[in-house]
């Protein structure tokens, strides 16, 4: 797997200051995509163990809230194989808040953006590759799902590019008996008022 870019102080792709990894390769090729350069699977540089180590080291910084993974398309089969072990390393090192780590005790969130819907990625979905996809979903706190649709582009949306995209609370959704549980933003942001 290759990666197109890494941003070490990103505030656009999830809550707080984040380390953001943009993987290479996307077959969806949404018209008007903001990151066409990452469609090519050979774009950028190889995603090596050293790159993984640097990303994990960046997450040690107390003010960094977590990791965000975008593309390209992180859930392309090749990228799932390249990401699963890394995401499990991140989750093992930085447990969820309340799962062995309290606020300020090393807890970090993992966000992922995919042009595929949660239903396509969930067990039985067309883009679920079995164990590897399930293992990735188990590491995630939030999935921003769905393709970018220019006709639904809305600059007032927080963490989405178009109104069809959903911000999903992955652990709550996986624990639910059915249906998607949406992530809840801080009310000050969800009302667009301060």
């Amino acid at each position: 797997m290759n990666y197109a870019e890494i941003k070490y102080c990103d505030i656009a792709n999830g809550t707080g200051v984040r380390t953001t990894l943009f993987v290479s390769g996307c077959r969806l090729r949404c018209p008007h995509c903001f990151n066409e350069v990452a469609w090519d699977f050979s774009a950028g540089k190889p995603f090596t163990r050293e790159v993984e180590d640097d990303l994990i080291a960046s997450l040690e910084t107390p003010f960094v809230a977590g990791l965000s993974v975008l593309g390209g398309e992180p859930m392309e089969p090749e990228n799932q194989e390249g990401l699963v072990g890394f995401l499990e390393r991140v989750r093992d090192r930085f447990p969820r808040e309340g799962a062995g780590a309290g606020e300020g005790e090393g807890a970090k969130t993992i966000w992922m953006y995919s042009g595929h819907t949660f239903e396509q990625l969930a067990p039985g979905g067309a883009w679920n590759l079995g164990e590897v996809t399930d293992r990735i979903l188990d590491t995630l706190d939030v999935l921003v799902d769905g393709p970018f649709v220019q006709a639904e582009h809305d600059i007032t949306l927080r963490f989405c590019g178009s109104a069809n995209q959903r911000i999903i609370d992955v652990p709550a959704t996986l624990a639910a008996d059915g249906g998607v549980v949406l992530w809840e933003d801080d009310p000050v942001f969800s009302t667009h008022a301060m």
Side-chain angles (χ1 to χ4, degrees):
M1 182 182 88
N2 278 12
Y3 70 95
E5 185 177 4
I6 296 170
K7 292 184 178 182
Y8 287 103
C9 285
D10 184 19
I11 59 169
N13 297 298
T15 56
V17 177
R18 311 187 67 77
T19 294
T20 300
L21 169 67
F22 294 84
V23 300
S24 298
C26 181
R27 293 179 180 92
L28 294 173
R29 301 178 177 233
C30 301
H32 306 283
C33 171
F34 83 100
N35 203 14
E36 275 186 46
V37 68
W39 288 357
D40 184 346
F41 283 87
S42 63
K45 300 175 184 173
F47 189 67
T48 64
R49 182 70 174 207
E50 292 75 23
V51 173
E52 288 186 22
D53 292 344
D54 288 345
L55 287 164
I56 290 171
S58 77
L59 295 170
E60 297 283 352
T61 307
F63 66 79
V64 174
L67 173 72
S68 294
V69 182
L70 298 87
E73 172 53 57
M75 295 306 262
E76 289 287 1
E78 301 89 329
N79 292 339
Q80 288 190 43
E81 291 289 340
L83 285 170
V84 65
F86 167 64
L87 292 173
E88 289 176 336
R89 284 183 70 199
V90 172
R91 181 51 66 213
D92 287 346
R93 172 59 192 89
F94 305 101
R96 287 186 175 93
E97 201 169 296
E103 188 174 341
E105 296 179 14
K108 306 284 179 174
T109 59
I110 302 175
W111 285 50
M112 181 177 282
Y113 286 71
S114 175
H116 301 293
T117 65
F118 182 84
E119 291 81 3
Q120 291 171 321
L121 298 170
W127 280 91
N128 183 290
L129 303 180
E131 181 185 356
V132 68
T133 309
D134 296 343
R135 286 167 55 198
I136 288 173
L137 291 174
D138 284 342
T139 68
L140 302 180
D141 295 288
V142 174
L143 174 71
V144 181
D145 81 337
F148 174 74
V149 177
Q150 179 65 37
E152 297 190 48
H153 179 60
D154 182 349
I155 63 169
T156 68
L157 297 172
R158 188 157 131 100
F159 308 130
C160 292
S162 56
N164 62 295
Q165 296 172 318
R166 301 175 295 182
I167 305 175
I168 297 170
D169 181 327
V170 176
T173 298
L174 292 174
D177 286 336
V180 167
V181 178
L182 297 179
W183 172 78
E184 292 186 28
D185 200 353
D186 184 308
V188 75
F189 296 112
S190 62
T191 62
H192 298 283
M194 297 194 94

